[in-house]
Every structure is written in C-alpha cells, then in structure tokens.
Amino acid sequence: MSKVIKIKLKKERVVLSDILPYETPITFSNRFFYDFLIENEVYFDGEILRWKKGGPEVDAVIFLVFGIDKNNRGSIKIKDLYKEFRGHKLAITIPFHYGISHKENSFRMLSVMHPRNQVQAINFYDKYKEIILYFSQISSFSLRAPFGVAKTKFFDDERKTGSVIIGGNLGKDDDKRYKNLKSFFSYRDISNIHQFFESRIYHSCEQKYNNMAQLDISKCFDSIYTHSVAWAAFGKSTIKNKIATDGNSCIDASFPGDFDRLMQRQNYNETNGILIGPELSRIFSEIILQRIDFNIEANLRSRGILNGREYQAFRYVDDYFIFFNDETDYKIISEETEACLNEYKLGLNTNKEVIYHKPIITEITIAKRKISELLSEKIAIEVSEDGEDEDGNPVYGGKININSKPLITKYKSILSESGAGYKDVINYTLSIVERKVSEIFNKYKKVKKGDSLYRSFLKSIHSVVEFCFFIYAAAPRVNTTIKLSRVLKTIIDFSKTDNVSRDDMHQVFKRISDDVAFIISKYGSGSYTQVETLYLLAVMSEMGKNYWIEESVLVKYFGGRYKTSGAVCFEGDLNYFSITVLIFYIKNKKRYERLKKGLEGLIISKFKENADSLYKNTECVLLALDCICCPYLDVAFKKKLLRKYEIGGLATQEAVINYKKNWFTKWSDFEFGKELDAKQSEAVY
C-alpha cells in the first residue's frame, strides 16, 4: 500500500516549476541549480546578493553566476555566517533565446532567463505571492489563473505522483521526489483548452447560446508593454496622473514596480515584450489581461449587455471564447474587446477569428472522438480463455493484427472529414497509442505463445512504429516529440525482454533507426528543429552502439563541415542546447573524436564573440557551468573557460571542476525513462 509523503514547501521551488520553458531538451533541468541554492542559502532580490560562507569553489560559482568581476570582489562584505554584495546592475542580463517549430514554415522564440534572475524571481514570489493571487481573481472570464499556493503530495509508490505538497518536514531523501513539481501556484480544473471543451460549463453554454466566437490576441507576449502591469494594478489613468505629478519613483517600491523591473531586467532592460516560455511570464500577462477582462465586462454592462445573459465569455491565456445569440450584441462585444486591448497596447488577430454555430462543436473535438474510437478498435489485442493447464488454471490465447496502412488511411480520412489538422491532434493520438501499446504488452505476457501469434505480434509492433512516425512527420513539435519518445521507449524496453528474440529486437530497432534518420533528413539542420532532434538522439542512445549515428551525418545535420585537414568546424548557429546534447550523445566514443574537437572549438568561439558580456549572457553562463563539470571534456579545456571568468589559481580551479557532477545538463546517472516521466509531470500548459 502506498503512503502519502508530506513535504514542507521551500520558496526556492520556484526555479523548479515556474522559470523554464517546457520545451527544453530532456537532459536539461534546474534540479541541480536548485540544490546549489538550497545548500548555500543564496539570496538575491535585485539589489542585495547574499550567500553562506563556504569554500573557494562556492565563491567562484557565485562570481560566475552573478557577474562579480575581479574589480568588484573586494566590495564583498562578511556578516556573521554570510557574505554579501550589493549592486542592482547585476540583475540586467541577456536571456538565452532559442527557436522551436511552431506552425508550418514558422517558429516560436522561447527564452531561458539568466540564473541570477531566476534567484531574483524566488524572492519576488516569496514577497508578493498573496498579491499575485489577489490580482489574479478580478476577472470572471479567465479559465487559467492562479487561485492559491500549490500544495503537493507524493506517494511512497513511485508510480504515483501528485502535484504539490501539504506540510511536514522535508527529509534528505524526500527532496529527490520534490523536484518534479508542476507549478508554484495551484490552478482550477481547466489545465488545457481541451478540458474546457469537455467541461460542464461549456456544454451548459452550448445549450443556452446559438453561437461561439473564438478570438486570439495578436502576438500577446511579444506585444506586452511591461509598464502596463502598473496600469492593471492601479488603473491606467490613476497611475499616469500620479507619474505625471510625482515621476516614476511613485511606483518603484510597489508590487507592479518590482514586477515591471523583474521582467525588464531578465530581458536586457526591454520594456516592449516579455520572455516566452516561463510560467512567470504567463502570470505577468495574466494580471494585465485580468484587468482588461474586468474593463470589457464593465463597459459592456454599462451598455446593457450582461455576461451570463446576452453573452458568456471565457479566456484561456490569450484566447477568448465568446458565446452569444444576437449578432448585433457580438459586434459590440468584439469591438469593446478590441478597444480595451488597445488601451494596453494589445490587439486581436482578426485573421484568426472563427465563429461556430449550433451545434457548437469544434473540428478538434470531432476528430478526437473519432480517433479515440479508431485506436480503441485497431490498436488492440484480443485475449480469450483457451482451456486449462495441468493444475486447472485458465490458459489464455491471443489474437492481434495491427495493420499500419488501413490505420493511416482511416486516420487521414478523419482529419479530412472533421477539418482538424495534424498538429491539433498528434499529442492526443500519441497519448492514446502509448496507453494502448502498454496494454498490449501487458496482455501479451499472459497469453499462450505460438509462432503464428508471435509473428503477427511482431508485425503489429512494426505497424505501430510506422503509424507513429507517419503522423509525427506531418507536424513535428517538441511536445509531440516527447510523446513519440515515450511510445518508442515503451517499445524499445519491451523488445529487450525475453518476449522478443534478439534478431527480431534488432529488426524493430532498425525500423526505429531508419525512421529517425528519415525525420532528420527531411527537416534538415534548421535552427528551429534542433530541440526535437535532440530528443530523437536520446531515443537512439537507448538502442545501443549498433545504432550510433555516423559522425558525418551528425556533422552535416548540425551545420558543420570537414576541413581539408579532416577537422570539423561549425559555421551555423549551433546553440547551447545542441552543443550540450551532442556532447552528451557522443561522450568519449572514439568514432566521434573529430566532432568533439569541433564542438570545443565552437564553444571557445562563442566565448570570444561574447567577451564583453560573458557574465550577463545566459547562454555563456549555462555553457560554462555545464562544460566545467562535463566528464567528457578534458581538464585543460575546463580551466581555459574558468580563466575567462577570472577564476584562477590551480587549487580553486580544481575545486570548482570537482564541486558538482551536474549543473544544468544531467551528465551522470541519466535514465531516459525516468526523465521522460519527469518531463510529462512538468506539462502544465
């Protein structure tokens, strides 16, 4: 029987849940940085930096992360058991931007904020969490807004996990379980938009109203003006009049003033646009949009158009859903929505306006229902009682015949008939496939094996792999790659058991290997497909040395070339994620020796290009820390990087190198299956 483990929440958990984009490589996390912050009691509020006295390695890491160069290290003060440094300029940093594929022939730019801004965010949450909750409850439209500080439970049975915790003390071993928390705040029942379409309130509105409009805020995060958070908190006219009289200082020491500065400083002091990816950014935008929602509803009320009577409005992040009966009312509602958004320098994307008429059902809902029926029927094993054994126990027989061709044909028909696109339903489809494959494998273990069943079973595995890659290739995305990786991991693990012969295991692996190679070849080496590829490299690693990708293939894909001398050089935009995952993949394998040398050269060139901003450049700081602890890079190379951050002295350098096994990239003790589970637990949006 499993028992609930109760854990006392730490404020530092913000860096585990609300800081990083979901779409990062599986080798990357904040778990070890979190450990460092806890161990050394690191505090930073944007002005004051404080940490517990420790060895030279701790100081060196603090200098590197917080940008304290040699000229300023003499200003560090010692107060009891702590060291302290003051400097607000430390908070202004350059985020690490990276692109992921988003829509056909387009990409979305996501960002990782600098570690020092992450620490600043901890203090901000701790100071203002109640105020954040207050300003997140003024809209009656919002479907996804914080309504409490999250509480978590974990079970002693590791197959079960909760979402956040309930009190008690956090033991050393329990802390390991604590590192896959979904979010700092708790949210209501709607965690994704598809839950809204299946909810009771949606069906109620469908009965009451004849039409539903879907509206999209145009480039919401890119367009947000950071100063507008003060307008949202205090009212636009009030705050503008106050600033006109007293200057900007009137809001400096306030919640909106601190929030504004936090968002600016992590984005190189930009006031136009906020980082895309962190939950923190969604909370910032939510507070602004809550005020806009409030204004829309109030203005409509003054015109005799009431929410819950003439219309019912909902907003999920930056998408509005408006139920209505009268076209004239809707025209006024949409105009008022546009006007209120414009007040805050935002606007609607008119090209994305969609109006559904009764029966109100979206293309996606129709497609999902039919896909569920299709997969339940076609991806299954029939098990029936087939006599008894010598001891009188029932013996079960099985029948399975999964055929990829009719499955693919029917799937395409569903999309064509419903009007849904591949990108809309791939996640849903692969989630069902993962569950169905696990069911098939569990049932297959229990049935009487025969040559006929075994052959049809193997054919069915190949068909599932073919189907998964077919739908994935239509619209690869990071989140769908994670789902695909989970399916493939399940198949790979089962193929390694005694249920599959060694020769047949290799046939399955070759199928997967060929399909991965096809995906890599099809999508080329674009900067915005690299994160997806990094997951597929991890999948390939699970199949063993027979399926290592040729060095020349990796070099070509990631934008490198061979010089006449045979050395590898990179001329394209190979970012931190690609560099670290490639090193993780090639390790110390001799066949990749030239590739590793080429990557080392690229790393050095990155540091040279950013020599004037090494401390504040997020990509360089992350890369430096990961390289310093990487077991596949030599000590001389690591010392070279440390010198760039003015960390000298043989003893100090060696202490820093040996301080941690992992910083952000998990070089050691990596288990693909567990990391996939952790990644799935992080999905909140």
Side-chain angles (χ1 to χ4, degrees), residues 135 138 231-233 287-295 344:
F135 284 114
I138 66 173
W231 307 347
I287 289 172
I288 294 168
L289 293 174
Q290 287 257 338
R291 174 60 62 182
I292 293 170
D293 294 346
F294 181 88
N295 293 345
Y344 284 75

Side-chain angles (χ1 to χ4, degrees), residues 17-23 125 132-133 135-148 150 163 181-196 199 201 221 277-291 293 313-321 681-685:
S17 59
D18 284 42
I19 296 301
L20 298 179
Y22 174 67
E23 299 90 346
Y125 269 62
I132 289 172
L133 292 173
F135 284 114
S136 297
Q137 301 304 312
I138 66 173
S139 165
S140 63
F141 296 176
S142 183
L143 292 168
R144 190 185 184 277
F147 77 94
S163 52
L181 305 181
K182 284 193 172 188
S183 57
F184 182 89
F185 294 105
S186 54
Y187 296 79
R188 300 196 187 278
D189 295 336
I190 306 297
S191 60
N192 64 66
I193 192 58
H194 303 299
Q195 289 179 345
F196 170 58
S199 66
I201 192 164
F221 285 21
E279 180 65 20
L280 172 65
S281 293
R282 286 190 279 275
I283 290 171
F284 186 83
S285 66
E286 181 65 28
I287 289 172
I288 294 168
L289 293 174
Q290 287 257 338
R291 174 60 62 182
D293 294 346
F314 303 93
R315 178 179 52 76
Y316 182 80
V317 189
D318 57 356
D319 287 315
Y320 282 100
F321 301 89
S681 76
E682 292 169 7
V684 296
Y685 179 60

